[in-house]
Amino acid sequence: APGPLSRSSPGARRDCEGINHGAEREDLPIPSMRLARLCAMNDRVPLFKRAYEGVKAKVTRGLFRPGERVDAKSLAADHFTSLTPIRASLHQMVGEGLLEAHLNDGFHVPLITEPRLRDLQQWNLVQLDAALATALRGRYAGGAPSPPRARIKRSEDLVEDTERLFLAIAGVADNSYAMWTVRLFNDHLRAVRLLEPQLMDDLDQELDAAIDLFTQGDLAALSRAIHAYHDRRRQHVTALIALLLRPRDEEKDVAPAA
């Protein structure tokens, strides 16, 4: 019979799942280092990738405030791993613009300003618009491209579904660099998008309408919808910055706005 630390036992599978994904659950017991090592040895996901995805999720989902120092030792403890994959992950995120490396002061989340957020939003629009324009011209297909038909299934995560739609839009250009660029913008804008429901209503309806246009292959109408999406968010840049910068312990009611 499997021992108490066997990877095949249900309890160990649950505990390892918590370790591998950095879960913060009250019902998850604090695992021993022996169990942590066992999980690491048996997990098929490479150690660096697991560390990178876990740390990036914390950074891009706004668990660190703009300007805040990201402590590598704390992250290593959180993910039950050594400093080596954590530091490698942080350096990769510096290259992606998600973090900054400060001389003699480690890694920090970049400060966000209104001009910077406006630039991110505008360039995201440019990339999506270029992908749609390319598909409409049939540049890579040698003629009119086949309209996209794959339905994007909705989940309970509005931001994740939005990112999937934007990646699908980038995909119609049949250009790997378009996909790479939009994926990077998804990472940079994730923390902001998570705050949007505090300022705007009808976001699910807005996304459903855009997905319908994508599914129907009406790329011209989809382009207009994507422009309207970004125009709407430009109106809330100031408020979004304020939400990003507010103290963690500050509880403030924000009325949804159209």
Side-chain angles (χ1 to χ4, degrees):
L5 292 181
S6 170
R7 189 71 163 89
S8 60
S9 67
R13 283 199 300 271
R14 184 196 65 177
D15 292 354
C16 286
E17 189 176 70
I19 292 170
N20 294 341
H21 299 288
E24 297 180 2
R25 290 167 28 195
E26 294 180 358
D27 64 326
L28 189 66
I30 299 175
S32 66
M33 290 308 297
R34 182 182 174 195
L35 177 57
R37 288 193 294 269
L38 179 70
C39 294
M41 286 188 295
N42 286 275
D43 200 304
R44 295 181 180 181
V45 180
L47 182 61
F48 166 75
K49 183 177 180 180
R50 189 167 67 248
Y52 169 75
E53 293 294 342
V55 174
K56 187 173 77 169
K58 290 178 180 291
V59 172
T60 61
R61 295 186 72 85
L63 298 185
F64 296 98
R65 290 294 187 269
E68 184 175 350
R69 186 175 184 273
V70 178
D71 184 68
K73 290 184 179 180
S74 296
L75 289 172
D78 289 344
H79 292 273
F80 299 93
T81 187
S82 68
L83 280 171
T84 300
I86 296 297
R87 284 175 175 157
S89 300
L90 296 175
H91 280 294
Q92 177 162 329
M93 282 184 273
V94 170
E96 295 167 342
L98 297 171
L99 291 175
E100 294 175 345
H102 292 191
L103 184 62
N104 299 323
D105 196 25
F107 301 90
H108 290 252
V109 176
L111 290 172
I112 187 71
T113 62
E114 289 190 29
R116 180 168 184 163
L117 180 53
R118 292 184 190 278
D119 285 347
L120 280 169
Q121 292 175 335
Q122 177 62 25
W123 204 242
N124 186 68
L125 170 60
V126 168
Q127 300 303 312
L128 296 174
D129 213 28
L132 291 170
T134 297
L136 284 168
R137 291 195 304 268
R139 178 177 175 183
Y140 294 98
S146 300
R149 297 293 184 186
R151 177 74 187 179
I152 298 174
K153 295 181 180 179
R154 290 297 311 274
S155 70
E156 295 182 357
D157 191 326
L158 174 69
V159 173
E160 181 179 326
D161 292 346
T162 300
E163 293 178 353
R164 290 170 57 217
L165 172 62
F166 288 171
L167 282 172
I169 291 173
V172 302
D174 193 24
N175 186 306
S176 60
Y177 283 98
M179 295 285 291
W180 178 84
T181 303
V182 171
R183 186 175 287 110
L184 185 61
F185 276 103
N186 280 343
D187 289 340
H188 277 264
L189 289 166
R190 187 169 298 126
V192 175
R193 290 171 180 164
L194 286 167
L195 296 172
E196 290 175 357
Q198 298 186 46
L199 300 171
M200 293 175 275
D201 55 12
D202 300 326
L203 295 181
D204 281 299
Q205 294 90 327
E206 176 187 54
L207 180 59
D208 285 335
I211 290 176
D212 286 343
L213 293 173
F214 176 82
T215 304
Q216 297 160 10
D218 192 345
L219 301 187
L222 180 57
S223 178
R224 293 191 293 271
I226 294 301
H227 275 264
Y229 170 97
H230 287 82
D231 287 342
R232 186 182 182 191
R233 280 145 184 83
R234 275 193 287 269
Q235 299 173 17
H236 295 283
V237 166
T238 301
L240 286 167
I241 294 293
L243 288 175
L244 282 170
L245 297 178
R246 67 179 176 175
R248 282 193 179 87
D249 57 353
E250 180 181 328
E251 295 184 2
K252 184 177 180 180
D253 294 330
V254 181

